[in-house]
Amino acid sequence: PIAPPVAPMNLLLHRLFWRLGWVDHPEQRGEAVAIYPALVVCEECDALYSRQALAENEVARCTRCGSTLGRGHRLTPEGLLALAVTALIVFVMGNATDIVTLDLGGISVEATLPQAIAQTWDTGQQAVAVLAGATAFAFPLLVILLRLYVLVPLVLGRRSAAFLPAMRALHWVTRWSMVEVFLLGTLVAIVRSAGLASVVPGVGIYCYAVLTVLLTAEHVAGLHGLWWRADRLKA
């Protein structure tokens, strides 16, 4: 059968997602996509290996270039799901509460992260506002939601229908989640402002500190165990 024509905008978006590695090549639209969780490809030299179960602290490396293929971790998918749920709760708290409180000359100013981003935009620093909103809000939220989307079905004993694009997106988005950079920058700003005004860290900054630990723990666990678990389940 002849495939229906594709709108130019849809084709443009499909090509963009293909460049990001989220979907297949535009010429393969409509074709069934096979998933091979039992195989792992080296990201550096494209060597292909059979995925093996890794014990705690065991590392699999490419025999051709020596890059890391996977890392064993004590956290099971159930443990990773608990971390993801906790990270979502902490993320909501971190954005609903004040990041910092400034007291200058009797005037007290409190701001949450969304308010700080909006004020940065209003002052004419649109590039800084977009960068802060993406790395400290959008990308961390996407990481958490994608992990929940992947982990909940795995814990329930099945694989989600969109497991492959979700894992691709998770692999890409994780690189741009920079909560620790935002936390470090905020702490530097607090220290530098201490000489000009009374600065009191709010609940939000502590929530982001906890969020940094949670996301780091999930990142260190890697995706190897999730692929291994998915290999034993049906979509």
Side-chain angles (χ1 to χ4, degrees):
I2 300 177
V6 181
M9 180 59 67
N10 293 339
L11 181 59
L12 180 62
L13 291 175
H14 193 100
R15 291 185 180 276
L16 174 61
F17 293 154
W18 169 63
R19 293 293 183 183
L20 296 175
W22 295 2
V23 298
D24 293 309
H25 193 277
E27 296 180 356
Q28 299 176 339
R29 292 189 306 271
E31 298 182 2
V33 179
I35 302 176
Y36 300 97
L39 302 178
V40 56
V41 179
C42 177
E43 296 184 1
E44 301 296 333
C45 65
D46 293 334
L48 185 65
Y49 299 91
S50 297
R51 192 180 298 275
Q52 304 294 329
L54 299 177
E56 181 181 343
N57 296 326
E58 185 178 4
V59 180
R61 299 187 183 278
C62 177
T63 57
R64 179 188 294 177
C65 65
S67 61
T68 301
L69 300 175
R71 188 183 304 272
H73 202 275
R74 68 175 63 183
L75 285 176
T76 62
E78 290 77 8
L80 291 175
L81 178 59
L83 289 180
V85 172
T86 305
L88 181 60
I89 297 174
V90 173
F91 179 85
V92 173
M93 293 176 57
N95 285 273
T97 56
D98 299 328
I99 293 292
V100 66
T101 300
L102 296 176
D103 189 351
L104 179 61
I107 301 176
S108 180
V109 178
E110 301 176 350
T112 62
L113 176 60
Q115 291 173 344
I117 294 175
Q119 292 175 4
T120 304
W121 180 279
D122 294 337
T123 57
Q125 300 293 330
Q126 285 81 7
V128 177
V130 171
L131 184 61
T135 58
F137 182 86
F139 288 132
L141 179 59
L142 283 176
V143 169
I144 297 172
L145 294 180
L146 285 171
R147 281 193 171 274
L148 289 174
Y149 179 80
V150 170
L151 287 168
V152 170
L154 287 181
V155 172
L156 295 177
R158 60 185 180 85
R159 191 178 66 219
S160 60
F163 179 80
L164 179 59
M167 291 292 284
R168 286 178 174 177
L170 180 60
H171 178 74
W172 183 82
V173 173
T174 303
R175 303 176 182 178
W176 296 98
S177 177
M178 303 181 184
V179 176
E180 64 281 358
V181 176
F182 164 74
L183 179 63
L184 180 61
T186 304
L187 293 177
V188 171
I190 291 175
V191 173
R192 296 189 61 180
S193 302
L196 303 176
S198 176
V199 183
V200 180
V203 177
I205 195 67
Y206 295 106
C207 290
Y208 263 85
V210 176
L211 182 63
T212 300
V213 176
L214 294 173
L215 293 182
T216 301
E218 290 190 332
H219 178 69
V220 171
L223 302 177
H224 185 90
L226 301 184
W227 284 109
W228 178 260
R229 180 75 168 261
D231 184 35
R232 283 149 176 77
L233 300 175
K234 294 181 179 180

